[in-house]
Coordinates of all heavy atoms in Angstrom, one line a residue:
M1 N -5.4 -20.5 -6.3 CA -4.5 -19.3 -6.1 C -4.0 -18.7 -7.4 O -3.5 -19.5 -8.3 CB -3.3 -19.8 -5.3 CG -2.5 -18.7 -4.6 SD -3.2 -18.0 -3.1 CE -2.8 -19.4 -2.0
L2 N -4.2 -17.4 -7.5 CA -3.7 -16.8 -8.8 C -2.1 -16.7 -8.7 O -1.5 -16.2 -7.8 CB -4.2 -15.4 -8.8 CG -3.9 -14.6 -10.1 CD1 -4.5 -15.2 -11.3 CD2 -4.4 -13.2 -9.9
T3 N -1.5 -17.3 -9.7 CA 0.0 -17.3 -9.8 C 0.5 -16.6 -11.1 O -0.3 -16.4 -12.0 CB 0.5 -18.7 -9.8 OG1 0.0 -19.4 -10.9 CG2 0.1 -19.5 -8.6
G4 N 1.7 -16.2 -11.0 CA 2.4 -15.6 -12.2 C 3.7 -16.3 -12.5 O 4.0 -17.3 -11.9
R5 N 4.4 -15.8 -13.5 CA 5.6 -16.4 -13.9 C 6.7 -15.2 -14.0 O 6.4 -14.2 -14.4 CB 5.5 -17.0 -15.3 CG 4.6 -18.2 -15.4 CD 5.3 -19.5 -15.0 NE 4.3 -20.6 -15.0 CZ 4.5 -21.7 -14.4 NH1 5.7 -21.9 -13.8 NH2 3.6 -22.6 -14.4
T6 N 7.9 -15.5 -13.5 CA 9.0 -14.6 -13.7 C 9.5 -14.7 -15.1 O 9.0 -15.5 -15.9 CB 10.1 -15.0 -12.8 OG1 10.7 -16.2 -13.2 CG2 9.7 -15.1 -11.3
C7 N 10.3 -13.8 -15.5 CA 10.9 -13.8 -16.8 C 11.6 -15.1 -17.2 O 11.6 -15.5 -18.3 CB 11.9 -12.6 -16.9 SG 12.6 -12.4 -18.5
G8 N 12.1 -15.7 -16.1 CA 12.8 -17.0 -16.3 C 11.9 -18.2 -16.2 O 12.3 -19.3 -16.3
G9 N 10.5 -17.9 -16.0 CA 9.6 -19.0 -16.0 C 9.2 -19.6 -14.7 O 8.4 -20.5 -14.6
K10 N 9.9 -19.1 -13.6 CA 9.5 -19.6 -12.3 C 8.2 -19.0 -11.8 O 7.8 -17.9 -12.1 CB 10.6 -19.2 -11.3 CG 12.0 -19.8 -11.5 CD 13.0 -19.3 -10.5 CE 14.4 -19.9 -10.8 NZ 15.4 -19.3 -10.0
E11 N 7.5 -19.9 -11.1 CA 6.2 -19.5 -10.6 C 6.3 -18.6 -9.3 O 7.2 -18.8 -8.5 CB 5.4 -20.7 -10.2 CG 3.9 -20.5 -9.9 CD 3.1 -21.8 -9.7 OE1 2.8 -22.4 -10.8 OE2 3.0 -22.2 -8.6
W12 N 5.4 -17.6 -9.2 CA 5.4 -16.8 -8.0 C 3.9 -16.4 -7.7 O 3.1 -16.4 -8.7 CB 6.3 -15.5 -8.1 CG 5.8 -14.5 -9.1 CD1 5.8 -14.6 -10.4 CD2 5.3 -13.2 -8.7 NE1 5.3 -13.4 -11.0 CE2 4.9 -12.6 -10.0 CE3 5.0 -12.6 -7.5 CZ2 4.3 -11.3 -10.0 CZ3 4.4 -11.3 -7.6 CH2 4.1 -10.7 -8.8
V13 N 3.7 -16.1 -6.5 CA 2.3 -15.8 -6.1 C 2.2 -14.3 -5.8 O 2.8 -13.8 -4.7 CB 1.8 -16.6 -4.8 CG1 0.4 -16.2 -4.4 CG2 1.9 -18.1 -5.2
P14 N 1.6 -13.5 -6.6 CA 1.4 -12.1 -6.3 C 0.5 -11.9 -5.0 O -0.4 -12.6 -4.9 CB 0.8 -11.5 -7.5 CG 0.3 -12.6 -8.3 CD 0.9 -13.8 -7.9
E15 N 0.9 -10.9 -4.2 CA 0.1 -10.6 -3.0 C -0.4 -9.1 -3.2 O 0.3 -8.2 -3.3 CB 0.9 -10.7 -1.8 CG 1.4 -12.1 -1.6 CD 1.4 -12.5 -0.1 OE1 1.5 -11.6 0.8 OE2 1.3 -13.7 0.2
F16 N -1.8 -9.1 -3.3 CA -2.4 -7.8 -3.7 C -2.7 -6.9 -2.5 O -3.1 -7.5 -1.4 CB -3.7 -8.1 -4.5 CG -3.4 -8.9 -5.8 CD1 -3.5 -10.3 -5.8 CD2 -3.0 -8.2 -6.9 CE1 -3.2 -11.0 -6.9 CE2 -2.7 -8.9 -8.1 CZ -2.9 -10.3 -8.1
I17 N -2.7 -5.7 -2.6 CA -2.9 -4.8 -1.5 C -4.4 -4.9 -1.0 O -5.3 -5.0 -1.9 CB -2.6 -3.3 -1.8 CG1 -2.6 -2.5 -0.5 CG2 -3.5 -2.7 -2.9 CD1 -1.9 -1.2 -0.7
I18 N -4.6 -5.0 0.3 CA -6.0 -5.1 0.8 C -6.3 -3.9 1.7 O -7.5 -3.5 1.9 CB -6.3 -6.4 1.5 CG1 -5.2 -6.7 2.6 CG2 -6.3 -7.5 0.6 CD1 -5.6 -7.9 3.5
S19 N -5.3 -3.3 2.4 CA -5.6 -2.2 3.3 C -4.3 -1.4 3.5 O -3.2 -1.8 3.4 CB -6.2 -2.7 4.6 OG -5.2 -3.4 5.3
I20 N -4.5 -0.2 4.0 CA -3.5 0.7 4.5 C -3.9 1.2 5.9 O -5.0 1.7 6.1 CB -3.3 1.9 3.6 CG1 -2.8 1.4 2.2 CG2 -2.3 2.9 4.2 CD1 -2.6 2.5 1.2
D21 N -3.0 1.1 6.9 CA -3.3 1.5 8.2 C -3.2 3.0 8.4 O -2.0 3.5 8.5 CB -2.4 0.7 9.2 CG -2.8 1.0 10.7 OD1 -3.4 2.0 11.0 OD2 -2.4 0.2 11.5
V22 N -4.2 3.7 8.3 CA -4.2 5.2 8.4 C -3.8 5.7 9.8 O -3.4 6.8 9.9 CB -5.5 5.8 7.9 CG1 -5.8 5.5 6.5 CG2 -6.6 5.4 8.8
G23 N -3.8 4.8 10.8 CA -3.3 5.2 12.1 C -1.8 5.3 12.2 O -1.3 6.0 13.0
K24 N -1.1 4.6 11.3 CA 0.3 4.6 11.2 C 0.8 5.5 10.2 O 2.0 6.0 10.2 CB 0.9 3.2 10.9 CG 0.6 2.2 12.0 CD 1.2 0.8 11.5 CE 1.0 -0.3 12.5 NZ 1.5 -1.6 12.0
C25 N 0.0 5.8 9.1 CA 0.5 6.5 7.9 C 0.8 8.0 8.3 O 0.0 8.7 9.0 CB -0.6 6.5 6.8 SG -0.1 7.4 5.4
I26 N 2.0 8.5 7.8 CA 2.4 9.9 8.0 C 2.2 10.7 6.7 O 2.6 11.8 6.7 CB 3.8 9.9 8.5 CG1 4.8 9.2 7.6 CG2 3.9 9.3 9.9 CD1 6.3 9.5 7.9
G27 N 1.7 10.1 5.7 CA 1.4 10.8 4.4 C 2.6 11.3 3.7 O 2.6 12.3 3.0
C28 N 3.7 10.5 3.8 CA 5.0 10.9 3.2 C 5.0 10.7 1.7 O 5.8 11.3 1.0 CB 6.1 10.0 3.8 SG 6.1 8.3 3.3
G29 N 4.1 9.8 1.1 CA 4.0 9.7 -0.3 C 5.0 8.7 -0.9 O 5.0 8.5 -2.1
R30 N 5.9 8.0 -0.1 CA 6.9 7.1 -0.7 C 6.2 6.0 -1.4 O 6.6 5.6 -2.5 CB 7.7 6.6 0.5 CG 8.7 7.6 1.0 CD 9.4 7.1 2.3 NE 10.1 5.9 2.0 CZ 11.4 5.8 2.0 NH1 12.1 6.9 2.2 NH2 12.0 4.7 1.8
C31 N 5.1 5.4 -0.9 CA 4.5 4.3 -1.5 C 3.8 4.7 -2.8 O 3.7 4.0 -3.8 CB 3.5 3.6 -0.6 SG 2.2 4.7 0.0
Y32 N 3.3 5.9 -2.8 CA 2.6 6.5 -4.0 C 3.7 6.5 -5.2 O 3.4 6.1 -6.3 CB 2.1 7.9 -3.8 CG 1.5 8.6 -5.0 CD1 0.1 8.3 -5.3 CD2 2.2 9.4 -5.7 CE1 -0.4 9.0 -6.4 CE2 1.7 10.1 -6.8 CZ 0.4 9.8 -7.2 OH -0.2 10.5 -8.2
K33 N 4.9 7.0 -4.9 CA 5.9 7.1 -5.9 C 6.4 5.7 -6.3 O 6.8 5.5 -7.5 CB 7.1 7.9 -5.4 CG 6.8 9.4 -5.1 CD 8.0 10.1 -4.5 CE 7.6 11.5 -4.2 NZ 8.6 12.2 -3.3
A34 N 6.3 4.7 -5.4 CA 6.8 3.4 -5.8 C 5.8 2.6 -6.7 O 6.3 1.7 -7.3 CB 7.1 2.6 -4.5
C35 N 4.6 3.0 -6.6 CA 3.6 2.2 -7.4 C 3.5 2.7 -8.8 O 3.2 3.8 -9.1 CB 2.2 2.4 -6.7 SG 0.9 1.4 -7.6
G36 N 3.8 1.7 -9.7 CA 3.7 2.0 -11.1 C 2.3 1.8 -11.8 O 2.2 2.0 -12.9
R37 N 1.3 1.5 -10.9 CA 0.0 1.2 -11.5 C -1.1 2.2 -11.0 O -2.2 2.0 -11.2 CB -0.4 -0.2 -11.0 CG 0.6 -1.3 -11.4 CD 0.5 -1.6 -12.9 NE -0.9 -2.0 -13.3 CZ -1.2 -2.3 -14.5 NH1 -0.4 -2.2 -15.5 NH2 -2.5 -2.8 -14.7
S38 N -0.6 3.3 -10.4 CA -1.6 4.3 -10.0 C -2.7 3.8 -9.1 O -3.9 4.2 -9.3 CB -2.2 5.1 -11.2 OG -1.1 5.6 -12.0
V39 N -2.4 2.9 -8.2 CA -3.4 2.3 -7.3 C -3.7 3.2 -6.1 O -4.8 3.2 -5.6 CB -2.9 0.9 -6.8 CG1 -3.8 0.3 -5.8 CG2 -2.7 0.0 -8.0
L40 N -2.7 4.0 -5.7 CA -2.8 4.7 -4.4 C -3.1 6.2 -4.6 O -2.8 6.7 -5.7 CB -1.5 4.6 -3.7 CG -1.0 3.1 -3.5 CD1 0.3 3.1 -2.8 CD2 -2.0 2.3 -2.7
S41 N -3.7 6.8 -3.6 CA -4.0 8.2 -3.7 C -3.9 8.8 -2.2 O -4.4 8.2 -1.3 CB -5.4 8.4 -4.3 OG -5.7 9.7 -4.3
L42 N -3.4 10.0 -2.1 CA -3.4 10.8 -0.9 C -4.7 11.4 -0.6 O -5.3 12.0 -1.6 CB -2.3 11.9 -0.9 CG -0.9 11.6 -0.3 CD1 0.0 12.8 -0.5 CD2 -0.9 11.1 1.1
V43 N -5.3 11.2 0.6 CA -6.6 11.8 0.9 C -6.5 12.5 2.2 O -5.5 12.4 2.9 CB -7.7 10.7 0.9 CG1 -7.8 10.0 -0.4 CG2 -7.3 9.7 2.0
E44 N -7.5 13.2 2.5 CA -7.6 13.9 3.8 C -7.6 12.8 5.0 O -8.3 11.8 4.8 CB -8.9 14.8 3.9 CG -8.9 15.9 3.0 CD -7.8 17.0 3.3 OE1 -7.6 17.2 4.5 OE2 -7.2 17.5 2.4
K45 N -6.9 13.1 6.1 CA -7.0 12.2 7.2 C -8.4 12.0 7.7 O -9.1 13.0 8.0 CB -6.0 12.8 8.3 CG -5.8 11.8 9.4 CD -5.0 12.5 10.6 CE -3.5 12.6 10.2 NZ -2.8 13.2 11.4
P46 N -8.8 10.7 7.8 CA -10.3 10.5 8.2 C -10.5 10.6 9.7 O -11.5 10.0 10.2 CB -10.5 9.1 7.6 CG -9.2 8.5 7.7 CD -8.1 9.5 7.5
F47 N -9.6 11.2 10.5 CA -9.8 11.4 11.9 C -9.1 12.7 12.3 O -8.2 13.1 11.6 CB -9.3 10.2 12.7 CG -7.9 9.9 12.4 CD1 -6.8 10.5 13.1 CD2 -7.5 8.9 11.5 CE1 -5.5 10.2 12.8 CE2 -6.2 8.6 11.2 CZ -5.2 9.2 11.9
D48 N -9.5 13.2 13.5 CA -8.9 14.4 14.0 C -7.7 14.1 14.9 O -7.7 13.1 15.5 CB -9.9 15.3 14.8 CG -11.0 15.8 13.8 OD1 -10.7 16.1 12.7 OD2 -12.1 16.0 14.3
G49 N -6.8 15.0 15.0 CA -5.8 15.0 16.0 C -4.6 14.1 15.6 O -4.3 13.9 14.5
D50 N -3.9 13.6 16.7 CA -2.6 12.9 16.5 C -2.8 11.5 16.0 O -3.8 10.9 16.2 CB -1.9 12.9 17.9 CG -1.5 14.2 18.4 OD1 -1.6 15.2 17.6 OD2 -1.1 14.3 19.5
D51 N -1.8 11.0 15.3 CA -1.8 9.6 15.0 C -1.3 8.8 16.1 O -1.0 9.3 17.3 CB -0.9 9.4 13.7 CG 0.5 9.8 13.8 OD1 1.0 9.8 15.0 OD2 1.1 10.2 12.8
E52 N -1.0 7.4 15.9 CA -0.7 6.6 17.0 C 0.7 6.8 17.6 O 1.1 6.3 18.6 CB -0.9 5.1 16.7 CG 0.2 4.6 15.8 CD 0.0 3.0 15.6 OE1 -1.2 2.6 15.6 OE2 1.0 2.3 15.4
F53 N 1.5 7.6 16.9 CA 2.9 7.9 17.3 C 2.9 9.2 18.1 O 3.9 9.7 18.6 CB 3.8 8.1 16.1 CG 4.0 6.8 15.3 CD1 3.3 6.7 14.1 CD2 4.6 5.7 15.8 CE1 3.3 5.5 13.4 CE2 4.7 4.5 15.1 CZ 4.1 4.5 13.9
G54 N 1.7 9.8 18.3 CA 1.6 11.1 19.0 C 2.0 12.3 18.2 O 2.2 13.4 18.7
D55 N 2.1 12.1 16.9 CA 2.5 13.1 16.0 C 1.3 13.6 15.2 O 0.4 12.8 14.9 CB 3.6 12.7 15.0 CG 4.8 12.2 15.7 OD1 5.2 12.8 16.7 OD2 5.4 11.2 15.1
D56 N 1.2 14.9 14.9 CA 0.3 15.3 13.9 C 1.1 15.8 12.7 O 1.5 17.0 12.7 CB -0.6 16.4 14.5 CG -1.8 16.7 13.5 OD1 -1.9 16.0 12.5 OD2 -2.6 17.5 13.9
M57 N 1.5 14.9 11.8 CA 2.4 15.2 10.8 C 1.8 15.9 9.6 O 2.5 16.1 8.6 CB 3.1 13.8 10.3 CG 3.8 13.1 11.3 SD 5.4 13.9 11.7 CE 6.3 13.4 10.2
G58 N 0.5 16.2 9.6 CA -0.1 16.8 8.5 C -1.5 16.2 8.4 O -1.9 15.4 9.2
N59 N -2.2 16.6 7.4 CA -3.6 16.2 7.3 C -3.9 15.2 6.2 O -5.0 15.0 5.8 CB -4.6 17.4 7.2 CG -4.2 18.3 6.0 OD1 -3.3 17.9 5.3 ND2 -5.0 19.3 5.8
K60 N -2.9 14.6 5.7 CA -3.0 13.6 4.6 C -2.6 12.2 5.0 O -1.6 12.1 5.7 CB -2.2 14.1 3.3 CG -2.6 15.4 2.8 CD -3.7 15.4 1.9 CE -3.9 16.8 1.2 NZ -5.1 16.8 0.3
V61 N -3.3 11.2 4.4 CA -2.9 9.9 4.6 C -3.1 9.2 3.2 O -3.9 9.6 2.4 CB -3.7 9.1 5.7 CG1 -3.3 9.6 7.0 CG2 -5.2 9.2 5.4
M62 N -2.5 8.0 3.1 CA -2.6 7.3 1.8 C -3.8 6.4 1.8 O -4.2 5.8 2.9 CB -1.3 6.4 1.6 CG -1.1 6.0 0.2 SD -1.1 7.4 -1.0 CE 0.4 8.2 -0.5
S63 N -4.4 6.3 0.6 CA -5.6 5.4 0.5 C -5.5 4.6 -0.7 O -4.7 4.8 -1.6 CB -6.9 6.2 0.5 OG -6.9 6.9 -0.8
I64 N -6.3 3.5 -0.9 CA -6.3 2.7 -2.0 C -7.4 3.2 -3.0 O -8.6 3.2 -2.6 CB -6.6 1.2 -1.7 CG1 -5.6 0.7 -0.7 CG2 -6.7 0.4 -3.0 CD1 -6.0 -0.7 -0.1
A65 N -7.0 3.7 -4.1 CA -7.9 4.4 -5.0 C -8.5 3.5 -6.1 O -9.6 3.5 -6.5 CB -7.3 5.6 -5.7
S66 N -7.6 2.5 -6.6 CA -8.1 1.6 -7.6 C -7.4 0.2 -7.4 O -6.4 -0.1 -8.1 CB -7.8 2.2 -9.0 OG -6.4 2.5 -9.1
R67 N -7.9 -0.5 -6.5 CA -7.4 -1.8 -6.1 C -7.4 -2.7 -7.3 O -6.5 -3.6 -7.4 CB -8.1 -2.4 -5.0 CG -7.5 -3.7 -4.5 CD -8.1 -4.3 -3.2 NE -7.5 -5.5 -2.8 CZ -7.8 -6.7 -3.1 NH1 -8.9 -6.9 -3.8 NH2 -7.1 -7.7 -2.7
E68 N -8.3 -2.6 -8.2 CA -8.5 -3.5 -9.4 C -7.2 -3.4 -10.3 O -7.0 -4.3 -11.1 CB -9.7 -3.2 -10.2 CG -9.8 -1.8 -10.8 CD -10.3 -0.7 -9.9 OE1 -10.4 -0.9 -8.7 OE2 -10.6 0.4 -10.4
D69 N -6.4 -2.3 -10.1 CA -5.2 -2.2 -11.0 C -4.0 -2.7 -10.4 O -2.9 -2.7 -11.0 CB -5.0 -0.7 -11.3 CG -6.1 -0.2 -12.3 OD1 -6.6 -1.0 -13.1 OD2 -6.5 1.0 -12.2
C70 N -4.0 -3.2 -9.1 CA -2.8 -3.7 -8.4 C -2.4 -5.0 -9.0 O -3.2 -5.9 -9.3 CB -3.2 -4.0 -6.9 SG -1.9 -4.6 -5.9
I71 N -1.1 -5.1 -9.2 CA -0.5 -6.4 -9.8 C 0.2 -7.2 -8.7 O 0.8 -8.2 -9.0 CB 0.5 -6.0 -10.9 CG1 1.6 -5.1 -10.4 CG2 -0.2 -5.4 -12.1 CD1 2.7 -4.9 -11.5
G72 N 0.1 -6.7 -7.4 CA 0.7 -7.6 -6.4 C 2.2 -7.6 -6.3 O 2.8 -8.6 -5.8
C73 N 2.8 -6.5 -6.6 CA 4.3 -6.5 -6.7 C 4.9 -6.2 -5.3 O 6.1 -6.5 -5.1 CB 4.8 -5.4 -7.7 SG 4.5 -3.7 -7.2
G74 N 4.2 -5.6 -4.4 CA 4.7 -5.3 -3.1 C 5.6 -4.1 -3.0 O 6.2 -3.8 -1.9
A75 N 5.8 -3.3 -4.0 CA 6.8 -2.2 -4.0 C 6.3 -1.2 -3.0 O 7.2 -0.5 -2.3 CB 6.9 -1.6 -5.4
C76 N 5.0 -1.0 -2.9 CA 4.6 0.1 -1.9 C 5.0 -0.2 -0.5 O 5.4 0.6 0.2 CB 3.1 0.2 -2.0 SG 2.1 -1.3 -2.0
G77 N 4.8 -1.5 -0.1 CA 5.1 -1.9 1.3 C 6.6 -1.8 1.5 O 7.0 -1.5 2.6
R78 N 7.4 -2.1 0.5 CA 8.9 -2.0 0.7 C 9.4 -0.6 0.9 O 10.4 -0.3 1.5 CB 9.6 -2.7 -0.4 CG 9.5 -4.2 -0.4 CD 10.5 -4.9 -1.4 NE 10.2 -4.6 -2.8 CZ 9.2 -5.2 -3.5 NH1 8.5 -6.1 -3.0 NH2 9.1 -4.8 -4.8
A79 N 8.6 0.4 0.3 CA 8.9 1.7 0.4 C 8.5 2.4 1.7 O 9.0 3.5 2.0 CB 8.3 2.5 -0.8
C80 N 7.6 1.8 2.4 CA 7.0 2.3 3.6 C 7.8 2.1 4.9 O 8.0 0.9 5.2 CB 5.5 1.8 3.8 SG 4.7 2.5 5.2
T81 N 8.2 3.1 5.5 CA 9.0 2.9 6.8 C 8.1 2.6 7.9 O 8.5 2.2 9.0 CB 9.8 4.1 7.1 OG1 8.9 5.3 7.2 CG2 10.9 4.4 6.0
K82 N 6.8 2.8 7.8 CA 5.8 2.6 8.9 C 5.1 1.3 8.8 O 4.2 1.0 9.7 CB 4.8 3.8 8.9 CG 5.4 5.1 9.1 CD 6.2 5.2 10.4 CE 6.7 6.7 10.6 NZ 7.6 6.7 11.9
K83 N 5.3 0.5 7.8 CA 4.7 -0.8 7.6 C 3.2 -0.7 7.7 O 2.5 -1.4 8.4 CB 5.2 -1.8 8.7 CG 6.7 -2.0 8.7 CD 7.2 -3.2 9.4 CE 8.7 -3.4 9.4 NZ 9.3 -3.3 8.1
C84 N 2.6 0.1 6.8 CA 1.2 0.4 6.8 C 0.4 -0.6 6.0 O -0.8 -0.7 6.2 CB 0.9 1.8 6.3 SG 1.6 3.1 7.3
H85 N 1.0 -1.2 5.0 CA 0.3 -1.9 4.0 C 0.1 -3.4 4.4 O 0.9 -4.0 5.0 CB 1.0 -1.9 2.7 CG 1.4 -0.5 2.2 ND1 2.4 0.2 2.7 CD2 0.8 0.2 1.2 CE1 2.4 1.4 2.1 NE2 1.5 1.4 1.2
S86 N -1.1 -3.9 4.0 CA -1.4 -5.3 4.2 C -1.8 -5.9 2.8 O -2.4 -5.2 2.0 CB -2.6 -5.5 5.1 OG -2.3 -5.1 6.4
Y87 N -1.5 -7.2 2.7 CA -1.6 -7.9 1.4 C -2.2 -9.2 1.5 O -2.1 -9.9 2.6 CB -0.3 -8.0 0.7 CG 0.5 -6.8 0.5 CD1 1.4 -6.4 1.5 CD2 0.4 -6.0 -0.7 CE1 2.1 -5.2 1.3 CE2 1.1 -4.8 -0.8 CZ 2.0 -4.5 0.2 OH 2.7 -3.3 0.0
A88 N -2.8 -9.7 0.4 CA -3.2 -11.1 0.4 C -3.2 -11.6 -1.1 O -3.4 -10.8 -2.0 CB -4.7 -11.2 0.9
P89 N -3.0 -12.9 -1.2 CA -3.0 -13.5 -2.6 C -4.5 -13.5 -3.1 O -5.4 -13.3 -2.2 CB -2.5 -14.9 -2.4 CG -2.6 -15.2 -1.0 CD -2.6 -13.9 -0.3
A90 N -4.7 -13.7 -4.3 CA -6.1 -13.8 -4.9 C -6.4 -15.2 -5.3 O -5.5 -15.9 -5.8 CB -6.2 -12.8 -6.0
E91 N -7.7 -15.5 -5.3 CA -8.1 -16.8 -5.8 C -8.1 -16.7 -7.3 O -8.5 -15.8 -7.9 CB -9.5 -17.1 -5.3 CG -9.6 -17.3 -3.8 CD -8.7 -18.4 -3.3 OE1 -8.7 -19.5 -3.9 OE2 -8.1 -18.2 -2.2
G92 N -7.5 -17.7 -7.9 CA -7.4 -17.7 -9.4 C -8.7 -18.3 -10.1 O -9.6 -18.7 -9.4
Ligands
SF4_101 S1 1.5 -4.0 -4.7 FE1 2.5 -2.9 -6.4 S2 0.8 -2.5 -7.9 FE2 -0.2 -3.0 -5.9 S3 -0.5 -1.0 -4.9 FE3 1.6 -1.8 -4.2 S4 3.1 -0.9 -5.6 FE4 1.1 -0.7 -6.6
SF4_102 S1 4.9 5.1 2.6 FE1 3.7 4.5 4.4 S2 3.7 6.3 5.7 FE2 4.3 7.0 3.6 S3 2.3 7.6 2.7 FE3 2.7 5.5 2.1 S4 1.5 4.3 3.7 FE4 1.8 6.4 4.5

């Protein structure tokens, strides 16, 4: 398991982004603003019509543009009110 260290030397396990549920995403951009590593990108919605909430909030959803730059901080998920993000630790 890939592990890191806090400033105080404690061990922690980063959890890296693996997917974003575009059926829940409303394209608000909160996770994009929270990510300091430019991992995420707004893209055209990959399906027509309403999302699973019965809303058609626009034609954009969030996507993972450069997963290789993710540091596993989880800030994107904490910013998301729709709980769209999924994570997993990496093998070290
Ligand atoms: S876990 Fe952190 S680095 Fe990775 S995509 Fe989310 S905010 Fe960006
Ligand atoms: S914060 Fe959640 S709902 Fe908003 S764009 Fe990101 S994934 Fe979509």
Side-chain angles (χ1 to χ4, degrees):
M1 192 83 73
L2 183 63
T3 60
R5 297 272 176 199
T6 68
C7 185
K10 292 179 183 169
E11 192 173 278
W12 71 287
V13 178
E15 297 219 336
F16 301 95
I17 192 162
I18 54 173
S19 66
I20 296 174
D21 187 339
V22 295
K24 294 180 182 176
C25 178
I26 57 172
C28 67
R30 289 170 60 105
C31 59
Y32 176 87
K33 292 176 185 170
C35 181
R37 300 289 297 178
S38 301
V39 174
L40 308 176
S41 178
L42 268 177
V43 297
E44 294 294 321
K45 189 185 282 187
F47 53 86
D48 291 329
D50 296 348
D51 57 29
E52 72 175 32
F53 301 102
D55 301 323
D56 191 0
M57 298 285 289
N59 59 358
K60 300 277 189 181
V61 289
M62 199 57 65
S63 69
I64 303 170
S66 55
R67 184 172 184 265
E68 66 275 14
D69 291 326
C70 179
I71 59 172
C73 68
C76 49
R78 290 192 294 278
C80 180
T81 59
K82 302 297 184 185
K83 302 194 181 310
C84 297
H85 305 76
S86 296
Y87 304 90
E91 296 300 318

